[in-house]
Amino acid sequence: MIERFLAWLGETPWSIALLESLYAWPFVESAHVLTLGLFVGTTAMMDLRLLGIAFRRIPVTAFTGRLLPWTRIGFVIMTATGLLLFYSQPLRYYHNVFFRVKVLVLILAGVNAWIFHRGAHRSAGVWDWDARPPRAARIAGAVSLTAWALVVITGRLIAYNWFDCDIQPQPAWVNWMAGCAVAVGGAE
Amino acid sequence: MLEPFFRWCEATTIGQAVAQSVWAFPILEAVHLIGLCVLGGALLVVDLRLLGAGLTNQPIARIARHARPWLIGSLVLMVATGVPLFLSEAIKAYYNTSFWVKMCTLPVALAFTFGVRERVARRELADELAGPHAKGRLVGAVSLALWFTVAAAGRWIGFS
């Protein structure tokens, strides 16, 4: 069902045009990578503050308030360019092990941010200036930093086809993770 | 003229080791990108503030002072991963326009950041808490433009 939809998506004229374009794809990919500096960069600065290892004399709410709109702009660009890149080769990414891990870690990062904003951040006014924020905030910062680092690493590795379905033989667990139907000549 | 030097670079032990390994180049690339994230964050908190955005309720000098170790640390990480990446494909880099754009802009960006921006942010605008300041805006904009060029040219090395 998903496979048939993604196969159809990858056959649409715009998807093919994007993948085979001389400049459009590299521009979208470059925007995706450069926005890392804005999105993950500002997120990392906030996480380091939450951990109490950077910007210790700057209040936490300066990051979660005034810097956040810039993080949001970064997130919008990341999402838009990321979706375009996925659209250029949907079936390949769907069966890419690194892409699958990346999506799982993205969900983890999202849940972590949601828990932080619903939980520890509500009382941020109380510990705003604390050089070392409360435990829940430090945990949120640590989880976020780790998750985004993993997203960056797995995101970069999507480019490599080491574990793609058409590269066989692979260990069974690799084919399981990539969701490959190996029996009938590779990717399906 | 420089080509023999680039050939020598690629023939170094590190260059050959990275070029022949399956995992070394991708892992170095990924860590290079982690460095890009931290560098981007450490630059942006200060540059946005100079432009009158971001952490606007904090003094510029304080933000710059706190960001400095992360700025330097990320640059060290970028160089430590960038050099072996370069060594593994030095000859390709030699014939790559983007590589030369990056390498010509990088020293300018470094000199501007640690020569001009550092001085403006930490001394001239040390007490500045309020909003727009013409000199600060100019410095922030130039810093962003220089580092954007370095990063964009860096990404484009792989495309050309």
Side-chain angles (χ1 to χ4, degrees):
Chain A
M1 173 72 183
I2 293 176
E3 304 228 350
R4 280 181 60 195
F5 169 69
L6 294 178
W8 167 82
L9 196 64
E11 296 293 321
T12 53
W14 282 35
S15 169
I16 296 167
L18 179 59
L19 183 63
E20 294 181 355
S21 66
L22 192 55
Y23 289 113
W25 198 91
F27 268 116
V28 174
E29 156 68 13
S30 297
H32 195 66
V33 172
L34 294 194
T35 310
L36 279 177
L38 175 61
F39 174 61
V40 181
T42 52
T43 303
M45 294 303 113
M46 183 184 69
D47 293 338
L48 291 169
R49 175 63 186 95
L50 288 175
L51 278 166
I53 57 178
F55 303 100
R56 290 160 62 100
R57 287 187 57 226
I58 293 175
V60 169
T61 52
F63 286 88
T64 57
R66 293 180 188 241
L67 198 61
L68 196 63
W70 295 91
T71 313
R72 286 213 180 97
I73 292 171
F75 180 77
V76 169
I77 301 173
M78 278 317 234
T79 309
T81 52
L83 286 173
L84 275 173
L85 292 171
F86 180 78
Y87 172 60
S88 76
Q89 242 177 329
L91 207 51
R92 202 216 137 208
Y93 292 136
Y94 178 70
H95 283 298
N96 184 288
V97 171
F98 298 114
F99 178 81
R100 291 182 166 212
V101 176
K102 177 177 172 175
V103 170
L104 289 179
V105 182
L106 272 175
I107 294 168
L108 171 73
V111 170
N112 177 61
W114 186 80
I115 291 173
F116 171 67
H117 281 279
R118 296 276 149 168
H121 186 252
R122 295 207 160 190
S123 60
V126 182
W127 46 271
D128 207 6
W129 288 87
D130 290 8
R132 194 164 180 263
R135 193 181 160 81
R138 281 183 280 131
I139 291 174
V143 171
S144 174
L145 265 187
T146 312
W148 289 115
L150 276 172
V151 166
V152 172
I153 293 168
T154 51
R156 181 62 188 87
L157 294 179
I158 291 172
Y160 296 90
N161 66 350
W162 305 322
F163 303 125
D164 277 12
C165 293
D166 52 358
I167 310 281
Q168 297 292 340
Q170 298 278 2
W173 66 270
V174 169
N175 281 324
W176 173 77
M177 274 183 76
C180 301
V182 198
V184 211
E188 183 53 42
Chain B
M1 190 187 86
L2 279 168
E3 207 204 346
F5 171 69
F6 280 70
R7 290 197 180 279
W8 175 84
C9 284
E10 190 154 326
T12 54
T13 313
I14 296 176
Q16 285 305 299
V18 174
Q20 280 157 25
S21 159
V22 174
W23 285 87
F25 194 93
I27 295 298
L28 285 166
E29 270 274 12
V31 179
H32 201 61
L33 283 182
I34 299 278
L36 170 90
C37 295
V38 179
L39 177 63
L43 284 169
L44 276 168
V45 284
V46 178
D47 285 340
L48 285 173
R49 178 65 184 81
L50 285 168
L51 287 163
L55 306 170
T56 42
N57 58 351
Q58 300 300 313
I60 294 172
R62 186 184 293 169
I63 301 170
R65 198 171 59 244
H66 282 289
R68 191 178 153 91
W70 300 93
L71 178 65
I72 295 173
S74 61
L75 284 168
V76 169
L77 184 65
M78 293 299 266
V79 173
T81 50
V83 168
L85 285 170
F86 159 73
L87 291 175
S88 77
E89 50 172 32
I91 298 168
K92 176 194 158 184
Y94 180 78
Y95 291 104
N96 188 303
T97 310
S98 302
F99 172 80
W100 289 106
V101 172
K102 178 177 182 177
M103 288 311 146
C104 292
T105 317
L106 182 58
V108 181
L110 285 171
F112 184 81
T113 303
F114 291 100
V116 179
R117 193 183 79 149
E118 188 81 354
R119 202 189 66 235
V120 170
R122 289 175 68 174
R123 284 192 223 139
E124 292 184 29
L125 302 181
D127 300 323
E128 180 91 2
L129 233 178
H133 183 285
K135 191 168 192 176
R137 291 201 158 187
L138 181 66
V139 169
V142 171
S143 169
L144 279 183
L146 285 170
W147 286 109
F148 176 84
T149 307
V150 172
R155 179 61 197 93
W156 212 263
I157 293 173
F159 289 134
S160 43

